[in-house]
Amino acid sequence: MVPPYTHTAPSPSTAPHAADSHDLIRVHGARENNLKNVSVEIPKRRLTVFTGVSGSGKSSLVFGTVAAESQRMINETYSSFVQTLMPSLARPEVDVLEGLTTAIIVDQQRMGSDPRSTVGTATDANAMLRILFSRLGTPHIGPPSAFSFNTASLKASASITVEGSGKKAVSADFNRTGGMCTRCEGRGRVSDIDLTQLYDATKSLNEGALTIPGYNMDGWYGRILTGCGLFDPDKPIRAYSDQELDDLLHKEPTKIKIDGTNLTYEGLIPKIRKSMLSKDLDALQPHLRAFVERAMTFTVCPACEGTRLTEAARSCKIKQISIADACAMEIRDLAHWVRDLDEPSVAPLLAALRQSLESFVEIGLGYLSLDRPSATLSGGEAQRVKMIRHLGSALTDVTYIFDEPTVGLHPHDIQRMNSLLLRLRDKGNTVLVVEHRPETIAIADHIIDLGPGAGTAGGTICFEGTLEKLRASGTVTGRHLDDRTTLKPTVRTPTGTLPIRGASTHNLRNVDVDIPLGVLTAITGVAGAGKSSLIHSSIPPGHNVVSIDQSPIRGSRRSNPATYTTLLDPIRKAFAKANGVKPALFSANSEGACPTCNGTGTIYTDLGIMAGVSNPCEDCDGKRFHPSVLQHHLNGRDISQVLAMPVTEADEFLTTGTTPIPAAHKILQRLTDVGLGYLTLGQPLNTLSGGERQRLKLATRMHDNNAIYILDEPTTGLHLADIEQLLTLLDRLVDSGKTLIVIEHHQAVMAHADWIIDLGPGAGHDGGQIVFQGTPTDLTTHPTTLTGQHLAQYINT
């Protein structure tokens, strides 16, 4: 007889369980990009901050090694069929990686540019609101899809044949109720074409009336216009009859024959819609892009008044509030409205919606609305919206990776961000943060400092340990961790003022302010206070103004610092002269391009709805040039080696060799002055951070004759050691006669400014007012605003 099973509790043991021993992520021999055989152990379920100067190798270790290998290994768990549909990811250059967990990257990449993508659709908030209105709204108009501006209403009927005892036809009807406005197709705005940009009505076709690029009477379209027989080519367009004008602009494709050749005539508007307007704007040539931007006009949809929804969806209300009204509210007001709803039948839904909306408020985004297009969010705002998805996640023991989460945050908001990072850690997750701000470095459980320099001078581990040990370590980060910019004893005297009157863009409340000229002015305030609205939208036209922001630089994957700054032109000419060949050979966009990758250096795979993947070209090994081009040298280096040099190394190479290039030295010196000495000349522009893009733009405009420069958070991505260099550069620009207006959160820039204009007191509808104007000394002496309190604390620490 088998004895009954009895469970005996294990006797207490001091030996740890074997499963608890996997508490480290071990990296051994990492050589990605500039990493020099790096070996490091990263503690799991802790908050680890990676520090170091820009270009020291932080991103190469965290994103290029740990995150990349985690993604590659996850892809290998899919079925063989799925893997055949996905590109094979290259394994990072590393000997051993142990203890990896699933990595979730929360970066600053802008969210999708689809015009139907909003803050609400990018999170779960909009979906939950649709369910709520479908259950509680009156009058009832249908299921949740009836409130979706991404879903169109459909009605269809069909007939099918059923086999059985006898064939029988059965009719079937299909109905789907969607909320998409039919006029704007859920975009909220309708596009139109400015006819004055297509032609000059005072001229005839033969006199050059058409102003569309490429549409001249000497080309094919001119021959078609002349031969179609619809127009008098010598008649001014303003004298055309209604029918003639309609034929010129809107006529459908019509077959015609000219000189025995079969051709098609089509009106101007359908023609340019197909050839230009339907294409990606960034993919167009510069002159075509400029034309499209001039010709296209966008206005609020008159049918839905910009709400994107049908009239039926807008008629359904809960407590006099429609779903369009709810999405237009600031999220903190919407959270208050949802808190007041009490309906037991949807209690779990209301609880989840409250939690989602309150996460927005907690993370400092309560001033946004759910109908805000996601493409209009800044990099920092986009990163925080992505973070909201994970705050309520049931997942634990995963690795969250953040790329400078404090970007765009006022010192007051950094404290809230820090608490959210700690919450993720306390749920049992590993949190890895690449960061420069000392406020976030201070909360780390573990700090890994890379350096000591940038580019080839970096790529090694300089320090591992706690904050106090970092201070005493003697590394660049440790030495500058407690740097404080002091207030200037005297400030510059303005040479005049730039008046702004009645500014009311977005949340501004009829603001009147005089911005001093000839000095360094800092525009401060919490995120959403109205700083960008005041400066970018309210400075009157006609002034000599250059706005240098962090928006993406338009160009293809071929663009790099060498092409953007025109540095490549003198380099190509020097190579051509030294080798007795044409300069076009040394352009990856021309005759010298690798035929396999067409000079991009990578093979790009578009995965449709998924993020595309780039792999190095196997034929040119990512060098972008035809092998024969690399046989030509300048001072012992080929063109690909020169483009792989950091700016500082290239400056020395191109100015001290046997054939110095003075024009190249001027450009390279400007790049060094703005703190980009670590960038390689051939680094694709789409891999640069927002701060790097802004400083690159500044380098190209430093010697313009423009009187007023507007900079938007120029400290973004700068290490503590680089702040002093930036302040020196700002001083040099002002001393050369320029006016600098800097939108900034960093206390060092505030303290160094001659004048501060502080907006607030809060964000959204709680902001939009001038709460302080004066010198930094005045602001710290009587700190009545949030900015003043944090600046005073910074100065006195």
Side-chain angles (χ1 to χ4, degrees):
M1 183 176 181
V2 179
Y5 172 78
T6 58
H7 173 71
T8 304
S11 58
S13 173
T14 57
H17 195 285
D20 296 330
S21 62
H22 303 285
D23 55 358
L24 293 171
I25 297 175
R26 293 181 175 87
V27 181
H28 184 74
R31 297 176 299 279
E32 196 69 21
N33 297 326
N34 68 329
L35 296 180
K36 298 175 180 176
N37 211 35
V38 164
S39 297
V40 67
E41 293 184 343
I42 305 170
K44 287 186 180 179
R45 293 173 288 281
R46 297 293 184 271
L47 173 59
T48 300
V49 174
F50 293 80
T51 61
V53 298
S54 298
S56 60
K58 305 183 297 297
S59 295
S60 297
L61 177 59
V62 178
F63 295 97
T65 303
V66 175
E69 179 64 0
S70 175
Q71 181 184 6
R72 188 186 71 85
M73 296 184 74
I74 288 174
N75 288 355
E76 289 185 350
T77 65
Y78 298 139
S79 66
S80 299
F81 172 73
V82 173
Q83 289 188 47
T84 60
L85 303 177
M86 304 174 66
S88 57
L89 300 175
R91 187 179 187 276
E93 288 289 327
V94 60
D95 293 334
V96 178
L97 264 175
E98 295 179 342
L100 290 179
T101 67
T102 301
I104 297 176
I105 300 174
V106 189
D107 57 19
Q108 296 178 37
Q109 290 295 320
R110 297 295 179 104
M111 302 180 75
S113 58
D114 189 318
R116 296 194 190 95
S117 176
T118 65
V119 171
T121 60
T123 59
D124 291 333
N126 207 279
M128 289 187 282
L129 268 181
R130 295 199 299 267
I131 298 173
L132 184 68
F133 273 86
S134 70
R135 300 286 182 84
L136 303 183
T138 54
H140 178 75
I141 64 166
S145 62
F147 300 91
S148 171
F149 52 76
N150 287 322
T151 305
S153 295
L154 293 177
K155 289 185 179 180
S157 60
S159 178
I160 60 176
T161 301
V162 179
E163 296 280 356
S165 56
K167 291 185 178 181
K168 183 171 65 173
V170 179
S171 62
D173 293 325
F174 173 76
N175 293 296
R176 182 179 69 186
T177 304
M180 177 188 292
C181 169
T182 56
R183 173 74 183 274
C184 63
E185 296 183 336
R187 291 178 171 86
R189 296 170 68 84
V190 290
S191 61
D192 203 352
I193 296 178
D194 183 358
L195 298 183
T196 62
Q197 298 297 328
L198 305 187
Y199 58 82
D200 182 349
T202 64
K203 295 180 180 180
S204 68
L205 293 176
N206 280 339
E207 291 173 332
L210 299 185
T211 56
I212 307 169
Y215 284 62
N216 55 66
M217 297 304 289
D218 297 329
W220 269 107
Y221 199 75
R223 289 186 61 188
I224 293 173
L225 282 172
T226 305
C228 68
L230 298 173
F231 317 104
D232 179 356
D234 295 314
K235 181 180 179 180
I237 292 181
R238 66 184 175 189
Y240 278 21
S241 66
D242 291 343
Q243 183 61 51
E244 287 175 322
L245 189 59
D246 186 72
D247 287 342
L248 178 67
L249 297 177
H250 303 289
K251 192 170 184 63
E252 294 296 321
T254 304
K255 298 291 184 181
I256 61 174
K257 181 172 286 191
I258 300 176
D259 298 333
T261 304
N262 291 322
L263 298 172
T264 300
Y265 170 73
E266 188 174 17
L268 288 175
I269 289 179
K271 185 80 171 175
I272 64 172
R273 282 192 184 278
K274 294 175 184 176
S275 62
M276 300 182 197
L277 306 185
S278 63
K279 296 183 178 178
D280 180 10
L281 193 62
D282 291 336
L284 294 175
Q285 296 179 19
H287 69 290
L288 297 180
R289 183 191 308 143
F291 165 75
V292 171
E293 290 175 339
R294 292 194 310 269
M296 290 298 294
T297 60
F298 294 90
T299 57
V300 174
C301 175
C304 66
E305 299 177 343
T307 63
R308 307 163 182 256
L309 294 164
T310 61
E311 184 178 356
R314 287 177 279 136
S315 68
C316 179
K317 297 184 178 182
I318 301 175
K319 292 188 175 181
Q320 307 304 312
I321 297 293
S322 69
I323 190 170
D325 298 331
C327 290
M329 289 183 186
E330 288 192 4
I331 290 177
R332 55 187 164 190
D333 296 333
L334 179 59
H336 181 75
W337 179 74
V338 172
R339 279 196 296 269
D340 290 340
L341 297 179
D342 184 16
E343 177 56 49
S345 64
V346 289
L349 175 65
L350 286 172
L353 181 57
R354 290 188 194 109
Q355 182 180 2
S356 178
L357 296 175
E358 286 167 1
S359 295
F360 275 98
V361 178
E362 188 176 6
I363 209 168
L365 295 177
Y367 60 90
L368 296 179
S369 60
L370 293 183
D371 64 0
R372 169 86 173 261
S374 56
T376 65
L377 299 178
S378 68
E381 288 172 333
Q383 186 177 38
R384 295 194 288 280
V385 168
K386 295 173 190 174
M387 189 176 182
I388 288 171
R389 302 174 185 170
H390 306 295
L391 288 174
S393 172
L395 292 174
T396 61
D397 216 353
V398 299
T399 301
Y400 287 98
I401 301 178
F402 292 88
D403 186 10
E404 295 188 55
T406 60
V407 166
L409 286 183
H410 188 272
H412 175 70
D413 298 318
I414 291 178
Q415 299 171 355
R416 290 192 287 190
M417 173 59 72
N418 286 346
S419 68
L420 294 172
L421 294 174
L422 293 173
R423 269 178 54 190
L424 283 175
R425 177 205 63 183
D426 294 344
K427 287 177 62 177
N429 300 306
T430 303
V431 181
L432 309 182
V433 182
V434 175
E435 188 54 79
H436 292 296
R437 293 299 292 263
E439 296 96 323
T440 299
I441 297 174
I443 66 168
D445 301 307
H446 190 67
I447 299 170
I448 298 176
D449 191 30
L450 286 92
T456 56
T460 62
I461 301 295
C462 299
F463 170 83
E464 294 182 71
T466 62
L467 179 68
E468 293 306 319
K469 291 181 179 178
L470 176 64
R471 282 197 172 98
S473 66
T475 66
V476 175
T477 303
R479 293 197 306 271
H480 292 275
L481 194 61
D482 295 316
D483 281 1
R484 294 293 182 270
T485 299
T486 58
L487 297 173
K488 295 189 291 190
T490 59
V491 296
R492 299 178 181 91
T493 302
T495 58
T497 60
L498 175 64
I500 295 177
R501 296 291 179 264
S504 55
T505 305
H506 298 139
N507 67 329
L508 295 179
R509 302 185 185 183
N510 203 33
V511 170
D512 294 335
V513 65
D514 292 321
I515 299 178
L517 300 176
V519 301
L520 172 59
T521 299
I523 311 297
T524 62
V526 298
K531 304 182 296 297
S532 296
S533 299
L534 176 67
I535 301 304
H536 292 304
S537 303
S538 305
I539 289 184
H543 291 80
N544 209 9
V545 177
V546 172
S547 180
I548 304 174
D549 58 17
Q550 298 183 28
S551 61
I553 297 173
R554 280 181 171 162
S556 65
R557 289 186 292 273
R558 300 170 181 273
S559 302
N560 53 53
T563 59
Y564 183 74
T565 60
T566 70
L567 171 66
L568 190 58
D569 292 340
I571 293 177
R572 288 168 50 211
K573 292 176 181 177
F575 265 94
K577 184 177 180 181
N579 294 277
V581 294
K582 294 186 297 183
L585 275 180
F586 303 99
S587 170
N589 299 327
S590 186
E591 296 181 21
C594 165
T596 304
C597 62
N598 295 321
T600 62
T602 60
I603 302 298
Y604 181 77
T605 307
D606 188 353
L607 298 181
I609 62 172
M610 298 173 62
V613 174
S614 295
N615 290 314
C617 173
E618 295 182 358
D619 287 353
C620 68
D621 198 23
K623 295 180 179 179
R624 305 176 61 193
F625 292 92
H626 192 281
S628 62
V629 176
L630 304 182
Q631 302 302 315
H632 301 295
H633 293 83
L634 176 70
N635 297 335
R637 302 287 184 94
D638 63 47
I639 184 66
S640 69
Q641 292 173 323
V642 172
L643 291 177
M645 289 181 180
V647 167
T648 50
E649 182 184 342
D651 193 15
E652 181 180 357
F653 173 77
L654 296 173
T655 56
T656 60
T658 55
T659 54
I661 310 174
H665 171 68
K666 292 180 181 178
I667 298 173
L668 291 166
Q669 186 59 51
R670 294 172 195 168
L671 291 172
T672 303
D673 289 343
V674 298
L676 295 178
Y678 61 91
L679 279 188
T680 58
L681 303 186
Q683 181 172 343
L685 293 186
N686 58 5
T687 65
L688 301 185
S689 68
E692 288 170 334
R693 289 192 296 262
Q694 184 180 36
R695 293 193 291 278
L696 181 60
K697 295 176 187 176
L698 178 59
T700 64
R701 306 297 296 270
M702 279 175 59
H703 296 281
D704 285 3
N705 294 323
N706 300 83
I708 301 174
Y709 279 55
I710 298 174
L711 303 182
D712 195 348
E713 296 188 56
T715 60
T716 298
L718 279 185
H719 186 266
L720 298 164
D722 299 322
I723 298 296
E724 189 65 33
Q725 181 182 1
L726 174 67
L727 296 179
T728 302
L729 174 64
L730 298 181
D731 280 340
R732 191 191 318 162
L733 290 172
V734 175
D735 293 339
S736 68
K738 295 179 174 62
T739 295
L740 251 64
I741 303 172
V742 183
I743 302 171
E744 189 54 80
H745 291 297
H746 203 293
Q747 297 98 315
V749 177
M750 300 179 197
H752 197 72
D754 300 303
W755 193 256
I756 290 181
I757 298 174
D758 194 27
L759 283 92
H765 58 59
D766 291 337
Q769 304 176 66
I770 303 293
V771 293
F772 173 82
Q773 297 182 70
T775 65
T777 301
D778 294 338
L779 182 59
T780 56
T781 304
H782 303 288
T784 57
T785 69
L786 285 172
T787 302
Q789 294 165 13
H790 283 278
L791 183 58
Q793 181 182 0
Y794 171 86
I795 294 296
N796 297 323
T797 300

